[in-house]
Amino acid sequence: MERENMVKSVSRALDIITLISLKKTGLGVTEIANQIDINKSSVYRILSTLVQYGYIEQDTETGKYKLGYKFLEISSKLLESIDLRAEARPFLQELENETNEVIHLVVYDQGEVVYIEKLEGNETLRMHSKVGKRAPMHCTSVGKAILAHLPSSIVSDILERKGMPVHTDKTITDKEEFMKELGQVRQKGYALDLEENEYGITCVAVPIFDHLGKVIAAVSISGPTMRMTDDRLDALKSIMVKTGQGISARLGHVSRIN
């Protein structure tokens, strides 16, 4: 019952936010209560909570409630991801033209990677990936590229929460071995997925950093293992590192010179 009430309160709060967003001059408690058939005391409690978190503001002169600046803060985060796609797009197209392989751009979100861009290339390749889909981090090159640059405490938390499920018989499932590989990824500047997520698919990925030096995304090239030979991977590694640096620079990241 308590869970049901909690969800109902969230639903009411969202209804109130939507209602207020439609009125530029704001709405009072009575107006809101009359329009969504909730008693005024409940409306007031919900509004007080929303005001406390910055989602709603009260006009000191009229007493009416308007949208708060918290929504601008949230929308700016969404815009940042859109900017990432726009800035990365020319680099991704260049990779596609040069390699004819599948190119992915992903972002990190809640212990997983989310595909936000995919270029198919000219070669035929069947993959499970698609824009909007989530994927695990421990068995993908993009996931490893990001994990390698996150604090070890966060990495440990992700592995504990998400586990290290087997996707193929080449999936790394030992935490100590995995952490050792992340150290190598940091040192080399790129990560590999050697059929660890899908049989017959090999990938190489690099991290993308924002203006604060924080890892926020990764880009990868994926191809059939028979085409992604050691020699080809060696050739692609330097191209990928340069691509990651280029996209990061467009986001304001300044590479450190050792």
Side-chain angles (χ1 to χ4, degrees):
M1 191 66 175
E2 185 179 24
R3 180 179 174 81
E4 292 177 358
N5 290 336
M6 179 177 64
V7 173
K8 192 173 183 179
S9 296
V10 173
S11 178
R12 286 177 170 178
L14 292 173
D15 288 339
I16 290 173
I17 289 171
T18 302
L19 193 62
I20 291 174
S21 72
L22 300 175
K23 191 75 172 180
K24 187 180 293 185
T25 57
L27 292 171
V29 172
T30 302
E31 293 174 284
I32 295 171
N34 291 338
Q35 291 190 55
I36 58 177
D37 194 27
I38 302 177
N39 64 67
K40 290 195 290 186
S41 61
S42 295
V43 171
Y44 180 78
R45 286 198 300 271
I46 293 171
L47 285 170
S48 297
T49 302
L50 293 172
V51 167
Q52 182 181 350
Y53 282 90
Y55 290 98
I56 295 294
E57 292 181 353
Q58 185 177 24
D59 189 303
T60 54
E61 293 183 5
T62 65
K64 294 186 175 183
Y65 293 87
K66 302 179 182 180
L67 291 182
Y69 282 98
K70 187 71 174 177
F71 284 105
L72 281 178
E73 180 184 332
I74 292 175
S75 64
S76 69
K77 295 183 184 300
L78 177 59
L79 288 173
E80 285 174 7
S81 68
I82 295 173
D83 287 342
L84 168 61
R85 290 182 65 192
E87 296 296 344
R89 185 78 186 181
F91 294 90
L92 305 184
Q93 289 177 329
E94 186 176 344
L95 280 178
E96 182 187 37
N97 293 336
E98 189 170 349
T99 67
N100 292 325
E101 303 291 1
V102 173
I103 311 299
H104 292 117
L105 177 67
V106 309
V107 292
Y108 165 70
D109 182 60
Q110 299 180 27
E112 297 175 314
V113 292
V114 182
Y115 295 98
I116 64 171
E117 191 66 274
K118 179 181 181 181
L119 280 62
E120 297 286 355
N122 296 323
E123 301 286 353
T124 301
L125 181 66
R126 287 180 172 272
M127 292 190 69
H128 299 313
S129 61
K130 62 181 180 179
V131 173
K133 186 175 181 179
R134 290 175 174 269
M137 303 188 78
H138 73 289
C139 59
T140 56
S141 62
V142 283
K144 288 192 278 187
I146 293 172
L147 285 175
H149 297 278
L150 290 176
S152 57
S153 58
I154 293 180
V155 175
S156 295
D157 178 65
I158 291 171
L159 296 180
E160 186 174 335
R161 286 189 294 109
K162 299 293 184 179
M164 301 178 72
V166 174
H167 284 242
T168 73
D169 60 8
K170 297 185 179 181
T171 304
I172 300 174
T173 58
D174 180 78
K175 182 180 177 181
E176 186 176 342
E177 180 186 350
F178 186 73
M179 296 300 280
K180 189 179 296 183
E181 175 158 344
L182 292 186
Q184 294 174 351
V185 172
R186 274 193 303 276
Q187 185 178 20
K188 295 177 180 178
Y190 61 85
L192 297 175
D193 163 10
L194 303 176
E195 296 187 292
E196 296 160 51
N197 187 42
E198 296 181 52
Y199 284 114
I201 305 294
T202 293
C203 313
V204 55
V206 292
I208 296 172
F209 302 92
D210 66 9
H211 66 287
L212 298 174
K214 179 182 177 183
V215 63
I216 58 168
V219 60
S220 71
I221 293 177
S222 301
T225 300
M226 62 181 294
R227 267 204 311 268
M228 301 290 268
T229 61
D230 289 343
D231 288 343
R232 189 154 192 243
L233 283 175
D234 285 339
L236 290 175
K237 289 168 187 175
S238 59
I239 296 173
M240 289 299 292
V241 169
K242 188 179 295 184
T243 297
Q245 291 173 343
I247 298 174
S248 297
R250 292 293 299 173
L251 299 178
H253 177 64
V254 179
S255 299
R256 293 181 181 177
I257 302 176
N258 296 326

PDB file of all heavy atoms in Angstrom, residues 27 99 113 170 241:
ATOM      1  N   LEU A  27       0.455  29.234 -11.721  1.00  0.00           N
ATOM      2  CA  LEU A  27      -0.846  28.844 -11.180  1.00  0.00           C
ATOM      3  C   LEU A  27      -0.814  28.833  -9.658  1.00  0.00           C
ATOM      4  O   LEU A  27       0.230  28.563  -9.053  1.00  0.00           O
ATOM      5  CB  LEU A  27      -1.223  27.441 -11.675  1.00  0.00           C
ATOM      6  CG  LEU A  27      -1.541  27.273 -13.166  1.00  0.00           C
ATOM      7  CD1 LEU A  27      -1.667  25.783 -13.492  1.00  0.00           C
ATOM      8  CD2 LEU A  27      -2.819  28.004 -13.533  1.00  0.00           C
ATOM      9  N   THR A  99      37.432   2.770 -43.084  1.00  0.00           N
ATOM     10  CA  THR A  99      37.495   1.348 -42.719  1.00  0.00           C
ATOM     11  C   THR A  99      36.383   0.494 -43.309  1.00  0.00           C
ATOM     12  O   THR A  99      36.527  -0.726 -43.400  1.00  0.00           O
ATOM     13  CB  THR A  99      37.436   1.195 -41.187  1.00  0.00           C
ATOM     14  OG1 THR A  99      36.134   1.610 -40.715  1.00  0.00           O
ATOM     15  CG2 THR A  99      38.512   2.038 -40.502  1.00  0.00           C
ATOM     16  N   VAL A 113      26.673   0.933 -20.915  1.00  0.00           N
ATOM     17  CA  VAL A 113      26.871   1.860 -22.030  1.00  0.00           C
ATOM     18  C   VAL A 113      25.580   1.904 -22.836  1.00  0.00           C
ATOM     19  O   VAL A 113      24.844   0.919 -22.914  1.00  0.00           O
ATOM     20  CB  VAL A 113      28.055   1.448 -22.937  1.00  0.00           C
ATOM     21  CG1 VAL A 113      29.359   1.593 -22.202  1.00  0.00           C
ATOM     22  CG2 VAL A 113      27.886   0.036 -23.473  1.00  0.00           C
ATOM     23  N   LYS A 170      34.863 -16.454 -24.170  1.00  0.00           N
ATOM     24  CA  LYS A 170      36.026 -15.579 -24.077  1.00  0.00           C
ATOM     25  C   LYS A 170      35.784 -14.377 -23.158  1.00  0.00           C
ATOM     26  O   LYS A 170      36.659 -13.542 -22.972  1.00  0.00           O
ATOM     27  CB  LYS A 170      36.437 -15.105 -25.469  1.00  0.00           C
ATOM     28  CG  LYS A 170      36.874 -16.244 -26.384  1.00  0.00           C
ATOM     29  CD  LYS A 170      37.385 -15.761 -27.720  1.00  0.00           C
ATOM     30  CE  LYS A 170      37.825 -16.938 -28.589  1.00  0.00           C
ATOM     31  NZ  LYS A 170      38.345 -16.507 -29.901  1.00  0.00           N
ATOM     32  N   VAL A 241      43.030   6.045 -31.558  1.00  0.00           N
ATOM     33  CA  VAL A 241      43.535   6.933 -30.505  1.00  0.00           C
ATOM     34  C   VAL A 241      43.461   8.380 -30.982  1.00  0.00           C
ATOM     35  O   VAL A 241      43.037   9.272 -30.241  1.00  0.00           O
ATOM     36  CB  VAL A 241      44.985   6.561 -30.117  1.00  0.00           C
ATOM     37  CG1 VAL A 241      45.596   7.638 -29.233  1.00  0.00           C
ATOM     38  CG2 VAL A 241      45.006   5.212 -29.390  1.00  0.00           C
TER      39      VAL A 241
END
